[in-house]
Amino acid sequence: MQQYEAGQYDVIVIGAGHAGCEAGLAAARMGAKTLMLTLNLDMIAFMPCNPSIGGPAKGVVVREIDALGGEMAKNIDKTYIQMRMLNTGKGPAVQALRAQADKPLYQQEMKNTLESEPNLTLLQAMVDELVIEEGECKGIITNTGAIFRGKAVVITTGTFLRGEIILGELKYSSGPNNQKPSIKLAEYLETLGFEMERFKTGTPPRINSKTIDYSKTEIQPGDKEPRAFSYETTKFITDQLPCWLTYTNLQTHQLIDENLHRSPMFSGMVKGTGARYCPSIEDKVVRFNDKPRHQIFLEPEGRHTNEVYVQGLSTSLPEEVQHELITTVPGLENAKMMRPGYAIEYDALVPTQLWPTLETKKIKNLYTAGQINGTSGYEEAAAQGIMAGINAASRVLGKDEVILSRSDAYIGVLIDDLVTKGTNEPYRLLTSRAEYRLLLRHDNADLRLTELGHQIGLIPDERYEKFIIKKTAIEAEIKRFRSTIIKPNEKTQAVIQEAGGSPLKDGIRAADLIKRPEMSYQKVIELMPSEQELPKDVIEQVEIQLKYEGYIEKSLQQVEKLKKLENKKIPDHIDYEAINGIATEARQKLMKVRPLSIAQASRISGVNPADISILLVYIEQGKIAKLADTGSAVAR
């Protein structure tokens, strides 16, 4: 194939899934001339799995992306068919939005956004190789011989690297939804010396809505209260579509048991590691054989299609078994399958080969984001995409790199987990992974990250000014609550008694009264001098920040302790082999991950507190560190 020079760009993004879209838009909006290549322009922002955005932890990530200036939140706000707030009966630390997407419209809107971005060029092409010169990535080469030069490259290939679809006894080379796989690029990355792992994911069948008996299912409507992911959204979709709930039964489970020998998951045909938190129906029936039923959600894929996603019935059983399997579920006795479920295996990069900026340690100016880094989920991909795009553009434009800490955002937790700990299965973000989840709430993503988004150049001045107004109003109202004394008069006692609380004996600050479980912001302001009515989002912040003040303060104290360790940087040139006293496993892990700080080193599996103590002594005592436990000295 004859090669030719096809163009020169600042940033080149390979792939146009959820990671690629955010990476490309971030780089372009920051001022970098950006090229974005995809195998198929009709598959931009495609949802090969469930047609939804958000959920526990994931919904917070979408808001964080928005607070930084990303696109996912705005796009789903324009295209959802249903919006719900989850965990409303629980505390604010675990509440999160989840939206059902109009799948075709979501793609269409995102494609239009990309095409409308002045600094971004879209191109349909297959990338086979990278241009590597003296350890730096300086461009890409397509299968047609086109050479595009770039100062930074971001790979966001999703599940396409050496993808193979598995359906019963059938196995063939393919990307998701029967798209072309990316084989040569996977092979090329191996030749560069990157360590790869084989992962697996899967989807359920899609069925025809007209063949479902909804009278045998339970309706799952959206919230009546208008909600949005983006802080900029002011128009809300009101004509929402319901989802529906049904269940598997003993007949379903018996059919699966009888055909387990034909399931690629159990026959040995599947070699890749699957996602623990998104198991197939075969896996659920085997692992939880004491359960008489499992939930099945029927989720419409859009307003103008009859396809319904059978959430909870992910399977790679043979096609004829899937037909029969569907009819065992109440409401689906006569349902017609439009697409069978399948499993897909693909190559992923071992993520400990990345810096926290998502730049590869092996090749300078080469970044990776999304499922290629071992994650699952659209939201996790988009989060990595915006950070990789920001850092690639920052490198090109001579700006400082951006690394979010674990106390800054769920995005920080996600990336730190990947690059520090790695993953031996498709990684899913969970609220339990965040040690500071009371700080990383759905409601305060803008307060945490808008300032940074504005500094980077992704949050425009007009939006930033509105944010400052909101922030100022919150601070003023909290100050008012702290300075106002509520006296135990007749009105006060009546309001408290009506709320179910015990009467006051002495005067109390409004900031302390609102901490009572039975008291809300609205009840307390009845007892305060009247002020101008505040917006709902300001009231929400005032109430949460005051009610949970003690817990938030404890979390902030922990963050301050962590920052001291984060500020203890580890020199790039450190020679772990020269440090006596560190355990062999710890030395090997430290050499592999090459942590940037003592805090990051302490989070590496296999590195113990004793190893950290020795490392601290070595770093803090300069060129010669005398190790008391060995009596030896090591040269730095």
Short mmCIF file of all heavy atoms in Angstrom, two decimals, residues 231-251:
data_model
loop_
_atom_site.label_atom_id
_atom_site.label_comp_id
_atom_site.label_asym_id
_atom_site.label_seq_id
_atom_site.Cartn_x
_atom_site.Cartn_y
_atom_site.Cartn_z
N TYR A 231 -26.06 21.15 34.16
CA TYR A 231 -26.39 22.34 34.92
C TYR A 231 -26.89 23.47 34.02
O TYR A 231 -27.43 24.46 34.50
CB TYR A 231 -25.17 22.80 35.71
CG TYR A 231 -24.82 21.90 36.87
CD1 TYR A 231 -23.90 20.86 36.72
CD2 TYR A 231 -25.42 22.07 38.11
CE1 TYR A 231 -23.59 20.02 37.78
CE2 TYR A 231 -25.11 21.24 39.18
CZ TYR A 231 -24.20 20.21 39.00
OH TYR A 231 -23.90 19.38 40.06
N GLU A 232 -26.72 23.31 32.71
CA GLU A 232 -27.16 24.34 31.77
C GLU A 232 -28.55 24.09 31.20
O GLU A 232 -29.14 24.96 30.57
CB GLU A 232 -26.17 24.44 30.61
CG GLU A 232 -24.83 25.03 31.00
CD GLU A 232 -23.97 25.35 29.79
OE1 GLU A 232 -23.29 24.44 29.30
OE2 GLU A 232 -23.99 26.50 29.33
N THR A 233 -29.09 22.89 31.41
CA THR A 233 -30.38 22.54 30.81
C THR A 233 -31.52 23.32 31.47
O THR A 233 -31.64 23.36 32.69
CB THR A 233 -30.65 21.03 30.94
OG1 THR A 233 -29.66 20.33 30.19
CG2 THR A 233 -32.03 20.67 30.43
N THR A 234 -32.34 23.95 30.65
CA THR A 234 -33.50 24.70 31.14
C THR A 234 -34.81 24.19 30.54
O THR A 234 -35.88 24.47 31.06
CB THR A 234 -33.36 26.20 30.82
OG1 THR A 234 -33.14 26.36 29.40
CG2 THR A 234 -32.18 26.81 31.57
N LYS A 235 -34.72 23.45 29.43
CA LYS A 235 -35.92 22.88 28.80
C LYS A 235 -35.95 21.38 29.10
O LYS A 235 -34.95 20.68 28.93
CB LYS A 235 -35.90 23.11 27.29
CG LYS A 235 -36.03 24.58 26.90
CD LYS A 235 -36.05 24.75 25.39
CE LYS A 235 -36.19 26.22 25.01
NZ LYS A 235 -36.18 26.42 23.53
N PHE A 236 -37.11 20.90 29.54
CA PHE A 236 -37.22 19.51 29.97
C PHE A 236 -38.22 18.75 29.10
O PHE A 236 -39.24 19.31 28.66
CB PHE A 236 -37.67 19.44 31.43
CG PHE A 236 -36.75 20.16 32.38
CD1 PHE A 236 -36.95 21.51 32.68
CD2 PHE A 236 -35.67 19.51 32.94
CE1 PHE A 236 -36.09 22.17 33.55
CE2 PHE A 236 -34.80 20.16 33.80
CZ PHE A 236 -35.02 21.49 34.10
N ILE A 237 -37.92 17.49 28.84
CA ILE A 237 -38.82 16.62 28.07
C ILE A 237 -39.90 16.12 29.03
O ILE A 237 -39.60 15.52 30.06
CB ILE A 237 -38.04 15.45 27.46
CG1 ILE A 237 -37.01 15.98 26.44
CG2 ILE A 237 -38.97 14.44 26.79
CD1 ILE A 237 -36.01 14.96 25.96
N THR A 238 -41.14 16.36 28.69
CA THR A 238 -42.24 16.01 29.60
C THR A 238 -43.00 14.75 29.17
O THR A 238 -43.60 14.08 30.00
CB THR A 238 -43.23 17.17 29.72
OG1 THR A 238 -43.68 17.56 28.40
CG2 THR A 238 -42.57 18.38 30.39
N ASP A 239 -42.99 14.44 27.88
CA ASP A 239 -43.74 13.25 27.40
C ASP A 239 -42.83 12.01 27.49
O ASP A 239 -42.31 11.52 26.50
CB ASP A 239 -44.27 13.45 25.98
CG ASP A 239 -43.18 13.79 24.98
OD1 ASP A 239 -42.16 14.39 25.40
OD2 ASP A 239 -43.32 13.45 23.80
N GLN A 240 -42.66 11.52 28.72
CA GLN A 240 -41.77 10.40 28.94
C GLN A 240 -42.44 9.06 28.63
O GLN A 240 -43.66 8.93 28.71
CB GLN A 240 -41.28 10.40 30.39
CG GLN A 240 -40.52 11.66 30.77
CD GLN A 240 -39.92 11.56 32.17
OE1 GLN A 240 -39.17 10.64 32.46
NE2 GLN A 240 -40.24 12.52 33.02
N LEU A 241 -41.63 8.08 28.27
CA LEU A 241 -42.11 6.74 28.01
C LEU A 241 -41.78 5.84 29.21
O LEU A 241 -40.71 5.97 29.79
CB LEU A 241 -41.47 6.15 26.75
CG LEU A 241 -41.67 6.91 25.44
CD1 LEU A 241 -41.01 6.13 24.29
CD2 LEU A 241 -43.14 7.14 25.15
N PRO A 242 -42.67 4.93 29.58
CA PRO A 242 -42.37 4.05 30.72
C PRO A 242 -41.49 2.87 30.31
O PRO A 242 -41.43 2.49 29.14
CB PRO A 242 -43.76 3.56 31.14
CG PRO A 242 -44.54 3.54 29.86
CD PRO A 242 -44.03 4.70 29.04
N CYS A 243 -40.80 2.32 31.28
CA CYS A 243 -40.18 1.01 31.15
C CYS A 243 -41.10 0.03 31.90
O CYS A 243 -42.06 0.44 32.55
CB CYS A 243 -38.78 1.00 31.76
SG CYS A 243 -37.62 2.09 30.90
N TRP A 244 -40.78 -1.26 31.80
CA TRP A 244 -41.65 -2.26 32.39
C TRP A 244 -40.82 -3.32 33.09
O TRP A 244 -39.72 -3.66 32.66
CB TRP A 244 -42.54 -2.90 31.32
CG TRP A 244 -43.30 -1.88 30.51
CD1 TRP A 244 -42.84 -1.16 29.45
CD2 TRP A 244 -44.62 -1.41 30.76
NE1 TRP A 244 -43.80 -0.30 28.99
CE2 TRP A 244 -44.92 -0.43 29.78
CE3 TRP A 244 -45.61 -1.74 31.71
CZ2 TRP A 244 -46.13 0.24 29.72
CZ3 TRP A 244 -46.83 -1.09 31.65
CH2 TRP A 244 -47.08 -0.11 30.66
N LEU A 245 -41.36 -3.85 34.18
CA LEU A 245 -40.65 -4.83 34.99
C LEU A 245 -41.36 -6.18 34.95
O LEU A 245 -42.58 -6.26 35.11
CB LEU A 245 -40.56 -4.36 36.44
CG LEU A 245 -39.98 -5.32 37.48
CD1 LEU A 245 -38.52 -5.64 37.17
CD2 LEU A 245 -40.12 -4.74 38.88
N THR A 246 -40.59 -7.24 34.72
CA THR A 246 -41.09 -8.60 34.82
C THR A 246 -39.99 -9.46 35.43
O THR A 246 -38.96 -8.92 35.86
CB THR A 246 -41.56 -9.14 33.45
OG1 THR A 246 -42.12 -10.45 33.62
CG2 THR A 246 -40.43 -9.19 32.43
N TYR A 247 -40.21 -10.77 35.49
CA TYR A 247 -39.24 -11.63 36.18
C TYR A 247 -39.06 -12.96 35.45
O TYR A 247 -39.99 -13.44 34.79
CB TYR A 247 -39.72 -11.94 37.62
CG TYR A 247 -39.84 -10.73 38.50
CD1 TYR A 247 -41.02 -9.99 38.55
CD2 TYR A 247 -38.78 -10.33 39.31
CE1 TYR A 247 -41.14 -8.89 39.38
CE2 TYR A 247 -38.89 -9.22 40.15
CZ TYR A 247 -40.08 -8.50 40.17
OH TYR A 247 -40.19 -7.40 40.99
N THR A 248 -37.87 -13.52 35.60
CA THR A 248 -37.68 -14.90 35.16
C THR A 248 -38.38 -15.81 36.17
O THR A 248 -38.86 -15.35 37.21
CB THR A 248 -36.18 -15.27 35.11
OG1 THR A 248 -35.64 -15.16 36.44
CG2 THR A 248 -35.42 -14.36 34.17
N ASN A 249 -38.43 -17.11 35.88
CA ASN A 249 -39.08 -18.06 36.79
C ASN A 249 -38.36 -19.40 36.71
O ASN A 249 -37.34 -19.55 36.02
CB ASN A 249 -40.57 -18.19 36.43
CG ASN A 249 -40.77 -18.45 34.95
OD1 ASN A 249 -40.11 -19.31 34.38
ND2 ASN A 249 -41.67 -17.70 34.31
N LEU A 250 -38.91 -20.41 37.39
CA LEU A 250 -38.27 -21.72 37.43
C LEU A 250 -38.19 -22.35 36.04
O LEU A 250 -37.24 -23.07 35.73
CB LEU A 250 -39.01 -22.63 38.41
CG LEU A 250 -38.94 -22.20 39.88
CD1 LEU A 250 -39.74 -23.15 40.76
CD2 LEU A 250 -37.50 -22.11 40.37
N GLN A 251 -39.19 -22.07 35.19
CA GLN A 251 -39.17 -22.59 33.82
C GLN A 251 -37.98 -22.00 33.05
O GLN A 251 -37.28 -22.71 32.32
CB GLN A 251 -40.48 -22.25 33.10
CG GLN A 251 -40.58 -22.86 31.70
CD GLN A 251 -41.83 -22.39 30.96
OE1 GLN A 251 -42.70 -21.71 31.52
NE2 GLN A 251 -41.94 -22.75 29.68
#
